[in-house]
Amino acid sequence: MSLGRRELLGAGLAGVGLLATGCTPSTGEAGTTTAATTAATTATPPAFPAGFAWGVATSAYQVEGSVRADGRSPSIWDTFAASGNRIADGSSGAEACDHYRRWRTDLDLMGELGIGSYRFSIAWPRIQPGRDRRTNPAGLAFYDRLVDGLLDRGIAPVATLYHWDLPQHLEDAGGWESRDSAGWFADYAGVMFEALGDRVGSWVTINESKVIVEQGYQRGWMAPGKNDLEASGRVLHHLNLAHGRAVAAFRASTAKGTIGPCFTLAPCYPADDSEGARAATALADLRENRLYLDPVLLGRYPDDLELLHGEMVAGIAGARRDGDDATIGPATDFVGVNYYSPVVMAATGPAQPYPLAANGWQQLHPDGLRDVLLRVHRDYDAPVQVVLENGIPDARGQEPLHDPERIDFLKQHLQAAAGAIGAGARLNGYHAWSLLDNFEWAAGYTQRYGLVHVDFESQRRTPKDSARWYAAVIRANGVPG
Ligand code: GCO
């Protein structure tokens, strides 16, 4: 059986010793009052403000393919996928959805579904493929066409600068472990602001630093496949610096749009009323949320950072220089939120009171979306927020085009988002993950998250029932009753 890419993400990290306190694996016992009551169902009727952005999301390595086209050089994901036994089905993103060549078809499809906003990512190795980091005009031209194609169809481009595909030549020069990475990223970001800043309305800096840190540098389940806690701390700090320097480059540029970070957040609930469960939950919240939110949104690391594993804390401390916190924390225009799963903690370790999705790591708890949005609203000075990812893989045994579980999932999560808006959160958009079935990282093509089915033999696209349902939501600007 393959490892889900975030399996154990909510499992207390006991296996890799990230926490200073000992956690034992969950007994899997059903949760209890506290997890359930924290999640009281919202009574607010689903309502979205006029102009709410209804979107879908993808990322470059997961959909583009054409990994050698027009001068692109390898990324750390090409290397990782080729390094043997890393990907469940032995596949890679070499072809993926062939979106690099079929982008017009995909944009037409989005247009037919009434999609208003498309979150895609830019493949850095297409833009700066060589060690000299000179701009590659042919690589840039792809995103130029894509953005114009979106605007022609009335779809707002939301461009992510980094969704995990670091050029291999930068990895060879030290990658995110090197402090130079912040400067490399700011330079590359500057190239993109200059090229597309007149047309892209929203820029996202770095997708999910938590997943890079935990899966890429602690567990080794994702590129670059390392198991080094100290390095993971350094990498986190450099990702934060890179974000801050890119925001500064954006402000100094002539780009017209807005810019913000993207976090994958997990509401943390105690499994019961015990003091032990509450303490474990507070620690989980530090590890899952505050460690990432605080530096970027408040300009300082959490005061209780030392509760995390000493080697990781040492990595952060060793990388930190005077003035860095201010560099990391310039104000952003919005906060991007990805939501998949809560974390529930008993005194003895993680609990799993909610049903699991077919990926094996995602507890299904729609009200968690409302809870994370309201938490960011409350604790981080009421920023504008946008959901940049939310989705599930096809259920086991599902007929390819009939996905009632996904419709239920979307409906309940949208109701939860509406509940957050009703309670004051400034949410201005929602992007379903994903437009297309695609390359799901270490799970290869074994998990399908698309609203649109892809036959990877023929590359034929066919909307699933959920795509038609989502189109109706968009037309109504709300969830049908
Ligand atoms: C994620 C990623 C996506 C995944 C999706 C499903 O950030 O987690 O952005 O690339 O494919 O989340 O696991």
Side-chain angles (χ1 to χ4, degrees):
M1 202 189 90
S2 68
L3 285 177
R5 80 170 175 70
R6 266 180 300 205
E7 215 167 19
L8 291 186
L9 189 68
L13 303 180
V16 292
L18 185 67
L19 295 183
T21 55
C23 285
T24 51
S26 164
T27 58
E29 270 186 22
T32 52
T33 27
T34 318
T37 46
T38 320
T41 307
T42 172
T44 314
F48 295 88
F52 190 80
W54 293 104
V56 288
T58 65
S59 88
Y61 191 69
Q62 294 182 273
V63 300
E64 285 180 359
S66 296
V67 291
R68 289 194 192 82
D70 298 331
R72 179 190 181 278
S73 66
S75 77
I76 55 173
W77 266 95
D78 298 281
T79 310
F80 187 73
S83 61
N85 288 334
R86 302 291 206 163
I87 313 295
D89 55 5
S91 66
S92 74
E95 280 187 39
C97 308
D98 198 21
H99 178 70
Y100 191 79
R101 296 190 303 169
R102 294 170 194 264
W103 61 272
R104 281 189 193 83
T105 311
D106 292 336
L107 266 48
D108 286 344
L109 191 52
M110 278 186 251
E112 283 158 28
L113 295 171
I115 302 297
S117 179
Y118 178 44
R119 180 194 179 208
F120 60 97
S121 81
I122 295 161
W124 190 348
R126 293 196 193 282
I127 307 302
Q128 296 180 328
R131 255 182 269 161
D132 57 10
R133 293 190 284 123
R134 276 230 301 271
T135 303
N136 170 30
L140 205 55
F142 172 68
Y143 298 103
D144 198 69
R145 292 192 293 271
L146 186 74
V147 165
D148 282 345
L150 287 165
L151 295 174
D152 286 348
R153 291 164 179 80
I155 303 169
V158 178
T160 301
L161 290 161
Y162 187 68
H163 202 125
W164 308 350
D165 46 357
L166 188 74
Q168 182 61 44
H169 65 82
L170 292 180
E171 178 65 19
D172 297 341
W176 294 111
E177 289 178 62
S178 163
R179 189 175 170 89
D180 292 344
S181 56
W184 302 333
F185 183 69
D187 289 349
Y188 148 68
V191 170
M192 297 316 305
F193 300 147
E194 195 181 319
L196 304 178
D198 56 335
R199 286 160 289 156
V200 168
S202 308
W203 295 90
V204 178
T205 53
I206 291 171
N207 183 65
E208 300 187 347
S209 46
K210 176 165 65 182
V211 175
I212 300 170
V213 164
E214 292 188 353
Q215 310 292 350
Y217 288 87
Q218 291 173 359
R219 300 203 185 92
W221 292 350
M222 291 191 150
K226 302 206 175 169
N227 302 90
D228 185 338
L229 280 166
E230 192 271 340
S232 78
R234 256 183 297 137
V235 164
L236 170 59
H237 187 66
H238 295 151
L239 289 166
N240 285 338
L241 269 183
H243 159 84
R245 290 198 48 186
V247 173
F250 183 77
R251 302 289 181 225
S253 76
T254 55
K256 290 189 192 136
T258 57
I259 191 163
C262 177
F263 303 104
T264 182
L265 299 179
C268 298
Y269 308 117
D272 55 56
D273 269 334
S274 67
E275 212 171 291
R278 292 195 178 278
T281 302
L283 196 53
D285 182 49
L286 167 64
R287 186 191 70 225
E288 294 286 336
N289 303 312
R290 288 191 291 119
L291 176 60
Y292 303 93
L293 290 165
D294 285 13
V296 170
L297 300 184
L298 303 178
R300 56 180 155 74
Y301 285 91
D303 293 339
D304 51 355
L305 191 62
E306 73 288 351
L307 293 176
L308 298 176
H309 195 286
E311 284 177 57
M312 187 193 188
V313 177
I316 296 173
R320 220 162 151 193
R321 305 270 183 277
D322 284 351
D324 280 1
D325 287 6
T327 305
I328 291 169
T332 61
D333 302 307
F334 62 83
V335 176
V337 173
N338 296 353
Y339 173 64
Y340 288 92
S341 181
V343 166
V344 182
M345 297 301 292
T348 49
Q352 190 231 302
Y354 304 112
L356 281 182
N359 49 27
W361 56 262
Q362 181 179 5
Q363 293 194 53
L364 297 172
H365 179 53
D367 282 344
L369 177 58
R370 184 204 54 198
D371 292 346
V372 286
L373 294 170
L374 288 177
R375 192 276 174 86
V376 169
H377 184 74
R378 190 186 62 230
D379 291 354
Y380 296 91
D381 206 17
V384 170
Q385 297 185 71
V386 54
V387 173
L388 291 175
E389 284 181 31
N390 179 229
I392 44 165
D394 283 357
R396 282 197 194 91
Q398 177 201 297
E399 282 186 53
L401 303 180
H402 301 307
D403 53 351
E405 292 84 359
R406 183 172 287 105
I407 293 176
D408 274 356
F409 175 97
L410 293 171
K411 183 174 192 171
Q412 291 179 41
H413 283 77
L414 289 172
Q415 284 168 342
I421 294 170
R426 299 166 66 205
L427 183 70
N428 72 4
Y430 174 93
H431 297 75
W433 183 270
S434 177
L435 172 68
L436 302 169
D437 292 337
N438 60 46
F439 176 74
E440 175 56 16
W441 308 114
Y445 297 94
T446 66
Q447 291 171 19
R448 294 173 171 271
Y449 283 78
L451 302 184
V452 173
H453 178 270
V454 177
D455 175 339
F456 290 104
E457 298 284 308
S458 65
Q459 289 293 350
R460 185 181 155 81
R461 278 86 160 124
T462 315
K464 302 178 191 175
D465 292 345
S466 59
R468 303 193 190 289
W469 182 86
Y470 192 49
V473 167
I474 297 171
R475 282 194 299 274
N477 197 42
V479 181

